[in-house]
Amino acid sequence: KNMLGSSKFLFTMPECEDICGGVLKTVANRAKVAGIDVTILPLPDLLFRLANKIDPSTQQMYVPTPIMALGQFERERFLYSLGLSCAWHESETDTSNCSQGFVLRWIY
């Protein structure tokens, strides 16, 4: 029930919002809790808000629009690199939709 700590927000890619909602619902059902009180928000909007600053050297914005933020995430750097996803996704699934994998690819 406290897997997100005190956070009430979960950021993910727009195409994964429904998937995350389904996973949270499944986790709540298996844990026999009424539900997980969390708001799922689009991750590109977070990047836009965090990086919406002017680069002093170029006088241009780092990420001028939410669409540009989405483009940064969609570059899919290191998508097929082994060892970036969590142990469960690496061994049990054939998907690249692991949150840990997303974050590790994006930090590069």
Side-chain angles (χ1 to χ4, degrees):
K1 191 169 181 175
N2 292 322
M3 70 181 185
L4 296 174
S6 62
S7 177
K8 297 291 182 195
F9 302 102
L10 176 69
F11 292 92
T12 189
M13 294 299 285
E15 66 271 13
C16 295
E17 289 180 36
D18 289 339
I19 294 168
C20 287
V23 168
L24 291 173
K25 189 176 189 178
T26 299
V27 168
N29 288 339
R30 288 183 181 175
K32 296 182 178 21
V33 296
I36 298 174
D37 183 26
V38 66
T39 302
I40 299 172
L41 299 168
L43 185 59
D45 288 356
L46 176 63
L47 176 61
F48 169 69
R49 291 178 190 274
L50 292 174
N52 192 10
K53 310 240 184 300
I54 294 178
D55 180 344
S57 64
T58 64
Q59 294 302 307
Q60 294 182 3
M61 296 185 97
Y62 288 113
V63 181
T65 67
I67 297 297
M68 295 291 282
L70 178 62
Q72 291 297 314
F73 285 119
E74 288 179 337
R75 289 184 181 192
E76 295 297 341
R77 298 175 185 104
F78 311 106
L79 180 62
Y80 299 105
S81 298
L82 293 176
L84 296 179
S85 295
C86 70
W88 186 83
H89 276 104
E90 287 279 341
S91 65
E92 302 295 327
T93 69
D94 189 23
T95 181
S96 59
N97 290 334
C98 173
S99 296
Q100 176 179 307
F102 275 122
V103 171
L104 290 174
R105 288 192 306 268
W106 292 331
I107 62 173
Y108 291 104

Short mmCIF file of all heavy atoms in Angstrom, two decimals, residues 11-73:
data_model
loop_
_atom_site.label_atom_id
_atom_site.label_comp_id
_atom_site.label_asym_id
_atom_site.label_seq_id
_atom_site.Cartn_x
_atom_site.Cartn_y
_atom_site.Cartn_z
N PHE A 11 4.30 9.26 -12.93
CA PHE A 11 4.53 9.78 -14.28
C PHE A 11 4.93 8.65 -15.20
O PHE A 11 5.79 7.83 -14.86
CB PHE A 11 5.63 10.85 -14.25
CG PHE A 11 5.22 12.09 -13.54
CD1 PHE A 11 5.48 12.26 -12.19
CD2 PHE A 11 4.56 13.10 -14.21
CE1 PHE A 11 5.10 13.40 -11.52
CE2 PHE A 11 4.17 14.26 -13.55
CZ PHE A 11 4.44 14.40 -12.21
N THR A 12 4.33 8.62 -16.38
CA THR A 12 4.64 7.60 -17.37
C THR A 12 4.39 8.16 -18.76
O THR A 12 3.84 9.25 -18.92
CB THR A 12 3.81 6.32 -17.11
OG1 THR A 12 4.31 5.27 -17.96
CG2 THR A 12 2.34 6.54 -17.39
N MET A 13 4.81 7.42 -19.76
CA MET A 13 4.57 7.86 -21.13
C MET A 13 3.06 7.80 -21.42
O MET A 13 2.36 6.94 -20.88
CB MET A 13 5.32 6.96 -22.11
CG MET A 13 6.83 7.08 -21.98
SD MET A 13 7.43 8.74 -22.33
CE MET A 13 7.28 8.77 -24.10
N PRO A 14 2.58 8.72 -22.25
CA PRO A 14 1.13 8.77 -22.52
C PRO A 14 0.54 7.43 -22.97
O PRO A 14 -0.56 7.06 -22.53
CB PRO A 14 1.01 9.82 -23.62
CG PRO A 14 2.19 10.71 -23.42
CD PRO A 14 3.29 9.80 -22.94
N GLU A 15 1.26 6.69 -23.79
CA GLU A 15 0.73 5.42 -24.28
C GLU A 15 0.72 4.33 -23.21
O GLU A 15 0.13 3.27 -23.40
CB GLU A 15 1.49 4.93 -25.51
CG GLU A 15 2.94 4.55 -25.26
CD GLU A 15 3.91 5.70 -25.40
OE1 GLU A 15 3.51 6.87 -25.47
OE2 GLU A 15 5.12 5.41 -25.45
N CYS A 16 1.36 4.58 -22.07
CA CYS A 16 1.41 3.59 -20.99
C CYS A 16 0.49 3.92 -19.82
O CYS A 16 0.43 3.17 -18.85
CB CYS A 16 2.85 3.46 -20.47
SG CYS A 16 3.99 2.81 -21.67
N GLU A 17 -0.24 5.03 -19.91
CA GLU A 17 -1.10 5.43 -18.80
C GLU A 17 -2.15 4.38 -18.46
O GLU A 17 -2.35 4.04 -17.30
CB GLU A 17 -1.75 6.79 -19.08
CG GLU A 17 -0.75 7.93 -19.02
CD GLU A 17 -1.38 9.28 -19.29
OE1 GLU A 17 -2.54 9.50 -18.87
OE2 GLU A 17 -0.70 10.13 -19.90
N ASP A 18 -2.82 3.83 -19.48
CA ASP A 18 -3.83 2.80 -19.24
C ASP A 18 -3.19 1.53 -18.68
O ASP A 18 -3.75 0.87 -17.80
CB ASP A 18 -4.61 2.48 -20.51
CG ASP A 18 -5.54 3.61 -20.92
OD1 ASP A 18 -5.88 4.44 -20.06
OD2 ASP A 18 -5.92 3.67 -22.10
N ILE A 19 -2.02 1.17 -19.20
CA ILE A 19 -1.32 -0.02 -18.72
C ILE A 19 -0.97 0.14 -17.25
O ILE A 19 -1.19 -0.76 -16.44
CB ILE A 19 -0.04 -0.27 -19.56
CG1 ILE A 19 -0.40 -0.62 -21.00
CG2 ILE A 19 0.83 -1.35 -18.93
CD1 ILE A 19 0.77 -0.61 -21.96
N CYS A 20 -0.43 1.30 -16.88
CA CYS A 20 -0.07 1.56 -15.48
C CYS A 20 -1.30 1.51 -14.58
O CYS A 20 -1.25 0.95 -13.48
CB CYS A 20 0.63 2.91 -15.33
SG CYS A 20 2.31 2.91 -15.98
N GLY A 21 -2.39 2.08 -15.06
CA GLY A 21 -3.64 2.02 -14.29
C GLY A 21 -4.09 0.59 -14.06
O GLY A 21 -4.50 0.22 -12.96
N GLY A 22 -3.97 -0.24 -15.09
CA GLY A 22 -4.32 -1.65 -14.97
C GLY A 22 -3.40 -2.39 -14.01
O GLY A 22 -3.86 -3.22 -13.22
N VAL A 23 -2.11 -2.09 -14.07
CA VAL A 23 -1.16 -2.74 -13.16
C VAL A 23 -1.47 -2.35 -11.72
O VAL A 23 -1.48 -3.20 -10.82
CB VAL A 23 0.30 -2.37 -13.54
CG1 VAL A 23 1.27 -2.78 -12.44
CG2 VAL A 23 0.68 -3.02 -14.86
N LEU A 24 -1.72 -1.07 -11.48
CA LEU A 24 -2.04 -0.63 -10.12
C LEU A 24 -3.33 -1.28 -9.61
O LEU A 24 -3.42 -1.66 -8.44
CB LEU A 24 -2.16 0.89 -10.07
CG LEU A 24 -0.85 1.65 -10.26
CD1 LEU A 24 -1.12 3.15 -10.37
CD2 LEU A 24 0.12 1.35 -9.14
N LYS A 25 -4.30 -1.43 -10.49
CA LYS A 25 -5.55 -2.08 -10.11
C LYS A 25 -5.30 -3.54 -9.76
O LYS A 25 -5.82 -4.05 -8.76
CB LYS A 25 -6.55 -1.97 -11.27
CG LYS A 25 -7.93 -2.41 -10.94
CD LYS A 25 -8.85 -2.15 -12.13
CE LYS A 25 -10.30 -2.37 -11.78
NZ LYS A 25 -11.17 -2.09 -12.91
N THR A 26 -4.47 -4.22 -10.54
CA THR A 26 -4.13 -5.62 -10.28
C THR A 26 -3.39 -5.76 -8.95
O THR A 26 -3.67 -6.66 -8.16
CB THR A 26 -3.29 -6.20 -11.43
OG1 THR A 26 -4.04 -6.14 -12.63
CG2 THR A 26 -2.89 -7.64 -11.16
N VAL A 27 -2.42 -4.86 -8.72
CA VAL A 27 -1.67 -4.89 -7.46
C VAL A 27 -2.61 -4.69 -6.28
O VAL A 27 -2.53 -5.41 -5.27
CB VAL A 27 -0.55 -3.82 -7.46
CG1 VAL A 27 0.04 -3.63 -6.07
CG2 VAL A 27 0.54 -4.18 -8.47
N ALA A 28 -3.53 -3.75 -6.40
CA ALA A 28 -4.49 -3.49 -5.32
C ALA A 28 -5.38 -4.72 -5.08
O ALA A 28 -5.62 -5.09 -3.93
CB ALA A 28 -5.33 -2.26 -5.65
N ASN A 29 -5.84 -5.34 -6.16
CA ASN A 29 -6.69 -6.54 -6.02
C ASN A 29 -5.94 -7.67 -5.34
O ASN A 29 -6.46 -8.33 -4.45
CB ASN A 29 -7.21 -7.00 -7.38
CG ASN A 29 -8.28 -6.08 -7.94
OD1 ASN A 29 -8.91 -5.33 -7.21
ND2 ASN A 29 -8.47 -6.14 -9.24
N ARG A 30 -4.69 -7.90 -5.76
CA ARG A 30 -3.91 -9.00 -5.18
C ARG A 30 -3.55 -8.71 -3.73
O ARG A 30 -3.42 -9.64 -2.93
CB ARG A 30 -2.64 -9.23 -6.00
CG ARG A 30 -2.94 -9.86 -7.34
CD ARG A 30 -1.69 -10.14 -8.11
NE ARG A 30 -2.01 -10.74 -9.40
CZ ARG A 30 -1.13 -11.01 -10.33
NH1 ARG A 30 0.16 -10.75 -10.12
NH2 ARG A 30 -1.51 -11.53 -11.47
N ALA A 31 -3.37 -7.43 -3.39
CA ALA A 31 -3.05 -7.06 -2.02
C ALA A 31 -4.31 -6.94 -1.16
O ALA A 31 -4.21 -6.68 0.04
CB ALA A 31 -2.28 -5.74 -2.00
N LYS A 32 -5.45 -7.12 -1.81
CA LYS A 32 -6.75 -7.05 -1.12
C LYS A 32 -6.94 -5.69 -0.43
O LYS A 32 -7.37 -5.61 0.73
CB LYS A 32 -6.92 -8.19 -0.14
CG LYS A 32 -6.95 -9.56 -0.83
CD LYS A 32 -7.18 -10.67 0.14
CE LYS A 32 -7.26 -12.04 -0.43
NZ LYS A 32 -6.76 -12.42 -1.65
N VAL A 33 -6.61 -4.62 -1.18
CA VAL A 33 -6.86 -3.26 -0.70
C VAL A 33 -7.88 -2.62 -1.63
O VAL A 33 -8.03 -3.02 -2.78
CB VAL A 33 -5.57 -2.40 -0.61
CG1 VAL A 33 -4.62 -2.97 0.41
CG2 VAL A 33 -4.90 -2.28 -1.96
N ALA A 34 -8.56 -1.60 -1.13
CA ALA A 34 -9.63 -0.96 -1.90
C ALA A 34 -9.12 -0.34 -3.19
O ALA A 34 -9.80 -0.33 -4.20
CB ALA A 34 -10.31 0.09 -1.04
N GLY A 35 -7.95 0.20 -3.18
CA GLY A 35 -7.40 0.83 -4.36
C GLY A 35 -6.15 1.59 -4.00
O GLY A 35 -5.82 1.76 -2.83
N ILE A 36 -5.44 2.01 -5.00
CA ILE A 36 -4.23 2.78 -4.79
C ILE A 36 -4.53 4.21 -5.20
O ILE A 36 -4.84 4.48 -6.36
CB ILE A 36 -3.06 2.19 -5.59
CG1 ILE A 36 -2.78 0.76 -5.10
CG2 ILE A 36 -1.81 3.05 -5.43
CD1 ILE A 36 -1.75 0.01 -5.90
N ASP A 37 -4.46 5.11 -4.25
CA ASP A 37 -4.79 6.51 -4.48
C ASP A 37 -3.61 7.22 -5.13
O ASP A 37 -2.71 7.71 -4.46
CB ASP A 37 -5.15 7.18 -3.15
CG ASP A 37 -5.58 8.63 -3.34
OD1 ASP A 37 -6.06 8.96 -4.44
OD2 ASP A 37 -5.42 9.42 -2.40
N VAL A 38 -3.61 7.21 -6.45
CA VAL A 38 -2.52 7.82 -7.20
C VAL A 38 -3.08 8.43 -8.48
O VAL A 38 -4.04 7.92 -9.06
CB VAL A 38 -1.41 6.78 -7.52
CG1 VAL A 38 -1.89 5.72 -8.46
CG2 VAL A 38 -0.16 7.44 -8.05
N THR A 39 -2.49 9.53 -8.89
CA THR A 39 -2.86 10.18 -10.14
C THR A 39 -1.78 9.88 -11.16
O THR A 39 -0.60 10.14 -10.92
CB THR A 39 -2.99 11.70 -9.95
OG1 THR A 39 -3.97 11.95 -8.93
CG2 THR A 39 -3.41 12.38 -11.22
N ILE A 40 -2.16 9.34 -12.31
CA ILE A 40 -1.20 9.03 -13.37
C ILE A 40 -1.14 10.21 -14.32
O ILE A 40 -2.17 10.66 -14.83
CB ILE A 40 -1.61 7.74 -14.10
CG1 ILE A 40 -1.65 6.56 -13.11
CG2 ILE A 40 -0.66 7.45 -15.25
CD1 ILE A 40 -2.21 5.29 -13.66
N LEU A 41 0.07 10.72 -14.52
CA LEU A 41 0.28 11.91 -15.34
C LEU A 41 1.28 11.63 -16.45
O LEU A 41 2.16 10.77 -16.31
CB LEU A 41 0.79 13.06 -14.46
CG LEU A 41 -0.14 13.50 -13.34
CD1 LEU A 41 0.59 14.42 -12.37
CD2 LEU A 41 -1.37 14.18 -13.91
N PRO A 42 1.21 12.37 -17.56
CA PRO A 42 2.14 12.16 -18.67
C PRO A 42 3.56 12.66 -18.35
O PRO A 42 3.75 13.81 -17.97
CB PRO A 42 1.53 12.93 -19.83
CG PRO A 42 0.51 13.83 -19.25
CD PRO A 42 0.17 13.34 -17.88
N LEU A 43 4.53 11.79 -18.53
CA LEU A 43 5.92 12.11 -18.24
C LEU A 43 6.47 13.25 -19.11
O LEU A 43 7.23 14.09 -18.61
CB LEU A 43 6.77 10.85 -18.39
CG LEU A 43 8.23 10.96 -18.02
CD1 LEU A 43 8.39 11.38 -16.56
CD2 LEU A 43 8.93 9.63 -18.26
N PRO A 44 6.11 13.35 -20.40
CA PRO A 44 6.63 14.47 -21.18
C PRO A 44 6.24 15.84 -20.61
O PRO A 44 7.01 16.79 -20.70
CB PRO A 44 6.01 14.26 -22.57
CG PRO A 44 5.80 12.79 -22.64
CD PRO A 44 5.40 12.39 -21.24
N ASP A 45 5.07 15.93 -19.98
CA ASP A 45 4.67 17.19 -19.36
C ASP A 45 5.59 17.54 -18.20
O ASP A 45 5.93 18.71 -17.99
CB ASP A 45 3.22 17.14 -18.89
CG ASP A 45 2.23 17.16 -20.03
OD1 ASP A 45 2.66 17.29 -21.20
OD2 ASP A 45 1.02 17.06 -19.77
N LEU A 46 6.02 16.54 -17.45
CA LEU A 46 6.96 16.77 -16.35
C LEU A 46 8.30 17.27 -16.89
O LEU A 46 8.85 18.25 -16.39
CB LEU A 46 7.16 15.50 -15.53
CG LEU A 46 8.19 15.60 -14.40
CD1 LEU A 46 7.77 16.62 -13.35
CD2 LEU A 46 8.41 14.22 -13.77
N LEU A 47 8.81 16.61 -17.92
CA LEU A 47 10.08 17.06 -18.51
C LEU A 47 9.96 18.49 -19.03
O LEU A 47 10.84 19.32 -18.80
CB LEU A 47 10.51 16.14 -19.65
CG LEU A 47 11.78 16.58 -20.39
CD1 LEU A 47 12.99 16.65 -19.46
CD2 LEU A 47 12.06 15.65 -21.56
N PHE A 48 8.86 18.79 -19.68
CA PHE A 48 8.65 20.15 -20.20
C PHE A 48 8.69 21.16 -19.06
O PHE A 48 9.36 22.19 -19.14
CB PHE A 48 7.31 20.23 -20.94
CG PHE A 48 6.90 21.64 -21.27
CD1 PHE A 48 7.59 22.38 -22.20
CD2 PHE A 48 5.82 22.22 -20.63
CE1 PHE A 48 7.22 23.68 -22.51
CE2 PHE A 48 5.44 23.52 -20.92
CZ PHE A 48 6.14 24.25 -21.86
N ARG A 49 8.00 20.87 -17.98
CA ARG A 49 7.97 21.81 -16.85
C ARG A 49 9.33 21.93 -16.16
O ARG A 49 9.71 23.01 -15.72
CB ARG A 49 6.90 21.40 -15.85
CG ARG A 49 5.50 21.59 -16.40
CD ARG A 49 4.44 21.13 -15.42
NE ARG A 49 3.14 21.08 -16.02
CZ ARG A 49 2.32 22.12 -16.11
NH1 ARG A 49 2.66 23.29 -15.65
NH2 ARG A 49 1.13 21.99 -16.67
N LEU A 50 10.06 20.84 -16.07
CA LEU A 50 11.37 20.88 -15.42
C LEU A 50 12.45 21.52 -16.30
O LEU A 50 13.36 22.19 -15.80
CB LEU A 50 11.82 19.47 -15.03
CG LEU A 50 11.02 18.79 -13.93
CD1 LEU A 50 11.49 17.35 -13.76
CD2 LEU A 50 11.13 19.55 -12.62
N ALA A 51 12.36 21.30 -17.60
CA ALA A 51 13.41 21.77 -18.51
C ALA A 51 13.01 23.00 -19.30
O ALA A 51 13.71 23.40 -20.22
CB ALA A 51 13.79 20.64 -19.47
N ASN A 52 11.91 23.61 -18.96
CA ASN A 52 11.42 24.79 -19.68
C ASN A 52 12.19 26.03 -19.20
O ASN A 52 11.64 26.93 -18.60
CB ASN A 52 9.92 24.95 -19.45
CG ASN A 52 9.31 25.96 -20.37
OD1 ASN A 52 9.94 26.43 -21.30
ND2 ASN A 52 8.07 26.31 -20.12
N LYS A 53 13.48 26.01 -19.48
CA LYS A 53 14.37 27.10 -19.07
C LYS A 53 15.21 27.52 -20.27
O LYS A 53 15.39 26.77 -21.20
CB LYS A 53 15.30 26.63 -17.95
CG LYS A 53 14.60 25.95 -16.80
CD LYS A 53 14.85 26.69 -15.52
CE LYS A 53 14.26 26.04 -14.31
NZ LYS A 53 12.89 25.82 -14.24
N ILE A 54 15.74 28.70 -20.21
CA ILE A 54 16.57 29.20 -21.30
C ILE A 54 18.02 28.82 -21.06
O ILE A 54 18.58 29.05 -19.99
CB ILE A 54 16.41 30.72 -21.46
CG1 ILE A 54 14.98 31.03 -21.89
CG2 ILE A 54 17.41 31.27 -22.45
CD1 ILE A 54 14.66 32.49 -22.04
N ASP A 55 18.64 28.23 -22.08
CA ASP A 55 20.06 27.89 -22.04
C ASP A 55 20.85 29.19 -22.16
O ASP A 55 20.73 29.89 -23.18
CB ASP A 55 20.39 26.95 -23.20
CG ASP A 55 21.84 26.53 -23.25
OD1 ASP A 55 22.68 27.16 -22.59
OD2 ASP A 55 22.13 25.56 -23.97
N PRO A 56 21.66 29.56 -21.16
CA PRO A 56 22.37 30.84 -21.20
C PRO A 56 23.32 30.98 -22.38
O PRO A 56 23.52 32.07 -22.90
CB PRO A 56 23.15 30.87 -19.88
CG PRO A 56 22.68 29.74 -19.08
CD PRO A 56 21.91 28.82 -19.95
N SER A 57 23.88 29.86 -22.85
CA SER A 57 24.85 29.95 -23.94
C SER A 57 24.19 30.17 -25.30
O SER A 57 24.77 30.78 -26.19
CB SER A 57 25.73 28.70 -23.99
OG SER A 57 24.94 27.56 -24.27
N THR A 58 22.96 29.67 -25.49
CA THR A 58 22.30 29.80 -26.79
C THR A 58 21.10 30.72 -26.76
O THR A 58 20.56 31.06 -27.81
CB THR A 58 21.83 28.42 -27.29
OG1 THR A 58 20.84 27.92 -26.39
CG2 THR A 58 22.98 27.46 -27.43
N GLN A 59 20.65 31.08 -25.56
CA GLN A 59 19.44 31.90 -25.38
C GLN A 59 18.20 31.21 -25.96
O GLN A 59 17.24 31.87 -26.35
CB GLN A 59 19.62 33.29 -25.99
CG GLN A 59 20.66 34.13 -25.29
CD GLN A 59 20.33 34.32 -23.81
OE1 GLN A 59 19.24 34.73 -23.45
NE2 GLN A 59 21.28 33.99 -22.94
N GLN A 60 18.23 29.88 -26.03
CA GLN A 60 17.07 29.11 -26.49
C GLN A 60 16.60 28.22 -25.34
O GLN A 60 17.37 27.88 -24.45
CB GLN A 60 17.44 28.24 -27.69
CG GLN A 60 17.77 29.06 -28.91
CD GLN A 60 18.08 28.17 -30.11
OE1 GLN A 60 17.99 26.96 -30.05
NE2 GLN A 60 18.45 28.80 -31.20
N MET A 61 15.33 27.83 -25.41
CA MET A 61 14.78 26.98 -24.37
C MET A 61 15.30 25.56 -24.55
O MET A 61 15.44 25.08 -25.67
CB MET A 61 13.26 26.99 -24.41
CG MET A 61 12.68 28.35 -24.12
SD MET A 61 10.91 28.30 -24.04
CE MET A 61 10.73 28.16 -22.29
N TYR A 62 15.59 24.88 -23.44
CA TYR A 62 16.03 23.49 -23.49
C TYR A 62 14.97 22.61 -24.12
O TYR A 62 15.25 21.83 -25.02
CB TYR A 62 16.34 22.97 -22.08
CG TYR A 62 17.59 23.55 -21.47
CD1 TYR A 62 17.53 24.39 -20.37
CD2 TYR A 62 18.84 23.24 -21.98
CE1 TYR A 62 18.68 24.90 -19.79
CE2 TYR A 62 20.00 23.76 -21.43
CZ TYR A 62 19.91 24.59 -20.32
OH TYR A 62 21.04 25.10 -19.77
N VAL A 63 13.75 22.71 -23.63
CA VAL A 63 12.62 21.93 -24.15
C VAL A 63 11.47 22.91 -24.30
O VAL A 63 10.74 23.18 -23.36
CB VAL A 63 12.23 20.77 -23.20
CG1 VAL A 63 11.08 19.98 -23.78
CG2 VAL A 63 13.42 19.86 -22.93
N PRO A 64 11.29 23.49 -25.50
CA PRO A 64 10.33 24.58 -25.67
C PRO A 64 8.85 24.20 -25.61
O PRO A 64 8.02 25.05 -25.32
CB PRO A 64 10.68 25.16 -27.04
CG PRO A 64 11.43 24.09 -27.74
CD PRO A 64 12.07 23.24 -26.69
N THR A 65 8.50 22.94 -25.88
CA THR A 65 7.09 22.54 -25.88
C THR A 65 6.95 21.12 -25.33
O THR A 65 7.91 20.34 -25.37
CB THR A 65 6.50 22.55 -27.31
OG1 THR A 65 7.13 21.50 -28.07
CG2 THR A 65 6.68 23.88 -28.00
N PRO A 66 5.75 20.76 -24.88
CA PRO A 66 5.53 19.37 -24.45
C PRO A 66 5.75 18.36 -25.58
O PRO A 66 6.22 17.25 -25.35
CB PRO A 66 4.07 19.36 -23.99
CG PRO A 66 3.80 20.77 -23.57
CD PRO A 66 4.60 21.62 -24.54
N ILE A 67 5.45 18.76 -26.81
CA ILE A 67 5.67 17.86 -27.96
C ILE A 67 7.16 17.59 -28.14
O ILE A 67 7.57 16.46 -28.43
CB ILE A 67 5.07 18.46 -29.25
CG1 ILE A 67 3.56 18.60 -29.13
CG2 ILE A 67 5.44 17.64 -30.48
CD1 ILE A 67 2.81 17.30 -28.96
N MET A 68 8.00 18.61 -27.94
CA MET A 68 9.45 18.41 -28.02
C MET A 68 9.92 17.50 -26.89
O MET A 68 10.83 16.69 -27.08
CB MET A 68 10.17 19.75 -27.95
CG MET A 68 9.89 20.66 -29.14
SD MET A 68 10.61 20.07 -30.65
CE MET A 68 12.30 20.53 -30.41
N ALA A 69 9.32 17.61 -25.73
CA ALA A 69 9.67 16.73 -24.61
C ALA A 69 9.34 15.28 -24.96
O ALA A 69 10.14 14.38 -24.72
CB ALA A 69 8.93 17.17 -23.35
N LEU A 70 8.17 15.07 -25.54
CA LEU A 70 7.78 13.73 -25.97
C LEU A 70 8.79 13.19 -26.97
O LEU A 70 9.20 12.03 -26.89
CB LEU A 70 6.38 13.75 -26.57
CG LEU A 70 5.85 12.43 -27.09
CD1 LEU A 70 5.75 11.40 -25.98
CD2 LEU A 70 4.50 12.63 -27.76
N GLY A 71 9.22 14.02 -27.89
CA GLY A 71 10.22 13.61 -28.88
C GLY A 71 11.52 13.16 -28.24
O GLY A 71 12.17 12.22 -28.71
N GLN A 72 11.93 13.83 -27.17
CA GLN A 72 13.14 13.43 -26.46
C GLN A 72 13.01 12.02 -25.89
O GLN A 72 13.94 11.23 -25.94
CB GLN A 72 13.47 14.42 -25.34
CG GLN A 72 13.90 15.78 -25.82
CD GLN A 72 15.20 15.71 -26.62
OE1 GLN A 72 16.16 15.06 -26.23
NE2 GLN A 72 15.21 16.39 -27.74
N PHE A 73 11.86 11.72 -25.34
CA PHE A 73 11.65 10.39 -24.77
C PHE A 73 11.51 9.32 -25.84
O PHE A 73 11.87 8.18 -25.63
CB PHE A 73 10.40 10.38 -23.88
CG PHE A 73 10.61 11.04 -22.55
CD1 PHE A 73 9.86 12.14 -22.20
CD2 PHE A 73 11.54 10.56 -21.66
CE1 PHE A 73 10.04 12.74 -20.96
CE2 PHE A 73 11.74 11.16 -20.44
CZ PHE A 73 10.98 12.26 -20.08
#
